Amino acid sequence: MPELPEVETIRRTLLELVVGKEIKKVSVFWPKIIKKPIEVEQFKDALVNEKITDINRRGKFLIIYTDTFALISHLRMEGKYGLFKEEEPFDKHTHVIFHFTDGTELRYRDVRKFGTMHLFLKGEEHLNLPLSQLGPEPFSQAFTKTYLQEKLLKTERKIKPALLDQTIVTGLGNIYVDEALFRASIHPERKAKSLKDQEIVLLHQEIIQTLSEAVDKGGSTIRSYVNSQGQIGMFQLQLLVYGRNGEECRRCGTLIEKTVVGGRGTHYCPTCQKSSLK
Ligand SMILES: [Zn+2]
C-alpha cells in the first residue's frame, strides 16, 4: 500500500503530467469507487469542461483540484494512475478514465478495487470525511514532540497501532512505522503510554527523518517512475527491517523477526528493540 512518501511521489509526477489539462469526458466502469456524489452520473457530469489546476496531498490522500472541485483520491492497496493517449488500449482493471481535450487521458487502474474517490466543491474538502478526521502531517508545524507525547499518553494501545492511527499523525503505514520504530529502538508492542520522554524525542525525529528520506529519494528519481506505458510506479527507500525477517539486522547482526501486532505483519530486531521496558 502506498504510504506518504509514495503518494507524494505520485503527486509530484501527476502535477507535471496533468496540470492545465481540460476534461472533456469522464468514464466510470466500476461505480463503487466513487463515494461522493452517490450518483455516478453527477460525478461524471460535474467534471466536464473542468481544467486541472493543482494537485495536493493530505496524508495518503491525493487531492486533484479543478476550477470548481476538489477530487479526493485514495489508492488503498493497488490503485495506480497513468497518463495515456486515447487510442492506447486499456484492460479490465481500468475503472475510471478522465478524457482530456488534448487527446490524452488519465486512467485509474485498481486490481483490488479498494480505492476511493470523493468529489467536493473546492473549500469543502477539508471540512468533511475522509479528510476532516486526519491528524497533522508529519512535516507540519503542528506535529511537535509535545503533541505526539500528549496523544500517546492518552491511548491504551501499543505503539505500533497508535502510529498507524491516521487521527494521531497522518501518512504513516505499515512499512514506515516498522522502520521508524526500529530507528528509534522501540519495540512495536510497547504500550504507547510507557514511552519515556527521551524515546518520544527520538521517535518523533525518526518519523520525520524516515519519511523525508523516502520523499527525497522519490523526488530525486521521479522521472524514472513513469514507465513506457505511462504508469506511475513506486520507489522504495532501502528498508532496515520491513520485509527482512530472517535476515541479519544491519545494526547488530541479530536475525530480524516477524510477528503480528494489531493484525499487521510487523518486523523488528529483538536485540535493538527490547520489549522488556513494557
Ligand atoms: Zn539489531
Side-chain angles (χ1 to χ4, degrees):
M1 184 191 300
E3 300 183 28
L4 186 154
E6 290 80 13
V7 178
E8 178 60 21
T9 300
I10 295 165
R11 181 191 79 80
R12 292 178 185 182
T13 310
L14 278 177
L15 203 58
E16 286 187 35
L17 292 177
V18 301
V19 164
K21 290 185 187 267
E22 188 180 336
I23 299 168
K24 70 175 175 193
K25 188 182 148 196
V26 179
S27 303
V28 178
F29 304 111
W30 188 256
K32 283 186 180 163
I33 286 175
I34 313 301
K35 301 297 178 194
K36 189 183 176 304
I38 308 283
E39 286 296 326
V40 170
E41 290 306 314
Q42 279 180 25
F43 177 89
K44 289 157 65 174
D45 291 347
L47 288 167
V48 171
N49 297 329
E50 288 284 308
K51 203 179 263 182
I52 296 183
T53 56
D54 199 5
I55 302 181
N56 284 356
R57 178 191 58 72
R58 181 82 173 89
K60 300 182 225 174
F61 292 87
L62 285 166
I63 313 175
I64 301 171
Y65 286 102
T66 68
D67 302 307
T68 319
F69 297 100
L71 171 62
I72 299 170
S73 168
H74 197 304
L75 307 171
R76 299 292 296 276
M77 304 297 283
E78 298 274 350
K80 289 184 172 65
Y81 280 104
L83 186 72
F84 298 84
K85 295 198 178 93
E86 59 189 5
E87 59 270 22
E88 289 179 80
F90 58 88
D91 67 10
K92 62 173 182 175
H93 299 299
T94 299
H95 304 305
V96 182
I97 300 180
F98 302 91
H99 308 264
F100 298 121
T101 52
D102 67 357
T104 63
E105 48 194 45
L106 181 65
R107 296 178 186 169
Y108 178 73
R109 188 172 181 275
D110 190 344
V111 174
R112 309 273 297 266
K113 299 181 191 163
F114 289 154
T116 58
M117 293 185 192
H118 294 75
L119 191 67
F120 289 99
L121 280 171
K122 238 197 257 188
E124 294 182 359
E125 68 276 19
H126 292 289
L127 308 175
N128 293 283
L129 291 176
L131 298 189
S132 59
Q133 67 184 353
L134 298 178
E137 292 285 319
F139 301 137
S140 74
Q141 304 238 325
F143 184 63
T144 61
K145 176 246 158 191
T146 309
Y147 165 87
L148 180 63
Q149 189 158 34
E150 280 169 9
K151 289 287 181 183
L152 295 182
L153 283 176
K154 274 187 213 155
T155 177
E156 291 301 322
R157 283 180 294 180
K158 294 170 179 172
I159 185 62
K160 174 155 181 181
L163 293 179
L164 286 174
D165 180 345
Q166 302 295 301
T167 69
I168 293 181
V169 54
T170 186
L172 280 173
N174 209 31
I175 297 173
Y176 294 107
V177 167
D178 281 5
E179 292 298 304
L181 286 172
F182 172 77
R183 290 163 62 144
S185 302
I186 294 169
H187 193 283
E189 293 187 285
R190 286 275 301 282
K191 279 214 159 208
K193 58 162 60 165
S194 79
L195 266 56
K196 308 272 180 297
D197 196 62
Q198 199 45 42
E199 290 177 314
I200 294 177
V201 170
L202 196 57
L203 177 62
H204 174 255
Q205 258 172 32
E206 291 299 348
I207 288 171
I208 296 170
Q209 190 59 28
T210 307
L211 290 173
S212 89
E213 282 173 26
V215 167
D216 286 350
K217 184 155 189 239
S220 64
T221 52
I222 208 155
R223 286 172 195 281
S224 61
Y225 291 104
V226 184
N227 69 23
S228 55
Q229 282 83 46
Q231 200 86 53
I232 301 167
M234 298 292 173
F235 71 96
Q236 203 122 62
L237 197 67
Q238 195 198 23
L239 299 173
L240 298 175
V241 280
Y242 186 86
R244 296 193 64 241
N245 37 308
E247 294 174 38
E248 287 179 8
C249 172
R250 295 193 206 276
R251 216 186 260 163
C252 75
T254 307
L255 298 186
I256 300 295
E257 291 187 7
K258 184 177 181 184
T259 183
V260 176
V261 182
R264 307 294 300 273
T266 296
H267 311 76
Y268 69 102
C269 170
T271 302
C272 294
Q273 295 161 274
K274 294 269 187 232
S275 60
S276 56
L277 291 166
K278 249 183 231 183

